[in-house]
Structures are given as structure tokens and as C-alpha cells.
Amino acid sequence: MASTASEIIAFMVSVSGWVLVSSTLPTEYWKVSTIDGTVITTATYFANLWKMCVTDSTGVANCKEFPSMLALDGYIQACRGLMIAAVSLGFFGSIFALFGMKCTKVGGSDKSKAKIACLAGIVFILSGLCSMTGCSLYANKITTEFFDPLFVEQKYELGAALFIGWAGASLCIIGGVIFCFSISDNKKTPRMGYTYSGATSVLSSRTKNHGGEGDLKTTSPSKQFDKNAYV
């Protein structure tokens, strides 16, 4: 019962982390920079893995998508690949988890379901590591440029998508670890086996009793009948 509850908690945590990781891809605020005037913010620059945008003081946003994938910086291409891999691994991990959980009716025996649940945990851990690496690589580029005194171009700060990605990656790793430990719980609490010997009928019990009485009766005539009985 405890292992089933832990698997349900692990599934909810892992899927929640996967949803958060998936939500970072369309999020626009991976990095943010603002230009402040004397009274109001005159412009806000923000970008993600797919485009770069600017918003003026009136709230009108103008976005420009990156023209060519091959012309992008290496870290953006790496982050794209890592985040897409994280989303894909999380999807397959969710399917494996559904087959490996004890509360579902698919997946075979308890031993095979435990192995599938452990596999789902490994896939979720890999998904979390990919997301963590992608967000950290993007954040490292931002902080390196921000604290570089020789960098004269527009400097950015960390956006909200990075923190969402880190939170989702942490949840995926935590859920995956719980799934991996569930296989040890299944080994500690094996299922009890019972053997059915069959019900004994009334007739068989009577024949046994009559058989026992017959043995007693067969021995008694030798003692009751002797030569004087036939005289």
C-alpha cells in the first residue's frame, strides 16, 4: 500500500515537472532588459529560444524571429536541443509510468511493472537533467555577458522562464528518484503465495472412516470364531 501511494505521488510530481518544463518553450521571457526614462520605462527588451521582442512605453510589442537556425549562436542551438529532448523524454516517461504503476491494470506482473516503473524514473531523471542543463547554459551566457566589463552590447537579466524550467527540472528529478526507489519496496514486500489443496468431500471422509472400521472388523473374526463354534 505504501509503495502504491509513493508511485502515485511520484507520478504527480513528475508530470507536474514535465508540464512546467514544456511551458518554458513558448514562454517569451528567457532574458529581459529594460531601458528606464526619467518617469516611465521607455522600452523593454526580451527574448527566448525562437525570437527577440521589444515593447515600448505604449505597450506595443514588435517581435523578430531568428532568421536562420544555422546562423544562431551555439548556446541557443544547444538549449533548443536540450529542452526538446527534455519534453520528449518526459512524454515517454509518463507513458512508462502509467504502465508501471501498481494501481493500473496494464503492464503484466508485479515484477515486470516494478521494472517499468524504474525505467520511467530513469527517463524522468534524464528529462530533468536535460532541462536543468539547458536552462543553466542559457543563464550562464546571460550572467557572463552581464558581468563582463568589455561587453558593450545590450545586457540582459534572467527571465521568468529560466526559473520555471529549473523548478520543473527539480520536480522531474525528485519524481524519478521516487520511482527508482519503488522497485526496492516491491522486493522488500513480496506477494504471499497460497496453495489450494482441494476440499475433502463428505463421501471420501466416510470411506476413510469405514475403511478404518473395516480394518478393525477383519481382525475380530479370527478371535470370535474358533473350532468350538462349528460343533
Side-chain angles (χ1 to χ4, degrees):
M1 187 66 182
S3 61
T4 304
S6 63
E7 287 178 353
I8 294 174
I9 294 173
F11 180 76
M12 294 176 63
V13 171
S14 301
V15 172
S16 299
W18 173 61
V19 171
L20 289 177
V21 171
S22 302
S23 66
T24 59
L25 285 176
T27 304
E28 297 178 347
Y29 293 94
W30 278 65
K31 59 181 181 179
V32 183
S33 179
T34 58
I35 299 177
D36 297 328
T38 56
V39 179
I40 59 174
T41 300
T42 58
T44 300
Y45 295 88
F46 54 93
N48 59 2
L49 299 177
W50 317 102
K51 58 186 177 180
M52 183 175 293
C53 302
V54 58
T55 303
D56 56 13
S57 60
T58 60
V60 178
N62 296 317
C63 296
K64 179 183 178 182
E65 296 183 356
F66 297 130
S68 174
M69 183 182 68
L70 299 178
L72 290 175
D73 294 333
Y75 77 98
I76 296 181
Q77 296 183 9
C79 290
R80 281 184 178 183
L82 289 170
M83 296 305 294
I84 293 173
V87 174
S88 302
L89 288 171
F91 174 75
F92 289 110
S94 302
I95 296 177
F96 291 150
L98 288 175
F99 280 92
M101 295 173 65
K102 286 184 177 180
C103 59
T104 59
K105 300 297 183 181
V106 291
S109 61
D110 288 346
K111 187 176 181 180
S112 61
K113 289 173 76 69
K115 293 181 180 179
I116 296 174
C118 183
L119 177 62
I122 295 173
V123 173
F124 273 123
I125 291 173
L126 291 177
S127 175
L129 291 177
C130 288
S131 176
M132 186 76 71
T133 304
C135 294
S136 300
L137 181 62
Y138 199 91
N140 179 63
K141 181 67 175 180
I142 295 173
T143 54
T144 302
E145 292 177 352
F146 187 84
F147 292 106
D148 187 6
L150 301 178
F151 187 77
V152 295
E153 297 181 6
Q154 183 72 30
K155 293 186 178 182
Y156 292 87
E157 296 182 0
L158 303 179
L162 296 176
F163 298 99
I164 296 174
W166 282 325
S170 301
L171 291 177
C172 287
I173 294 173
I174 293 172
V177 170
I178 298 174
F179 267 123
C180 291
F181 278 113
S182 65
I183 191 173
S184 61
D185 295 337
N186 292 326
K187 290 181 179 180
K188 290 179 182 179
T189 59
R191 177 178 291 182
M192 298 296 294
Y194 298 96
T195 57
Y196 179 71
S197 59
T200 57
S201 61
V202 178
L203 181 61
S204 61
S205 62
R206 288 182 179 178
T207 53
K208 289 181 181 179
N209 294 330
H210 287 298
E213 293 176 357
D215 294 337
L216 295 175
K217 291 180 180 180
T218 52
T219 56
S220 59
S222 62
K223 294 181 181 180
Q224 292 178 358
F225 300 98
D226 52 3
K227 294 180 179 180
N228 296 327
Y230 297 97
V231 178

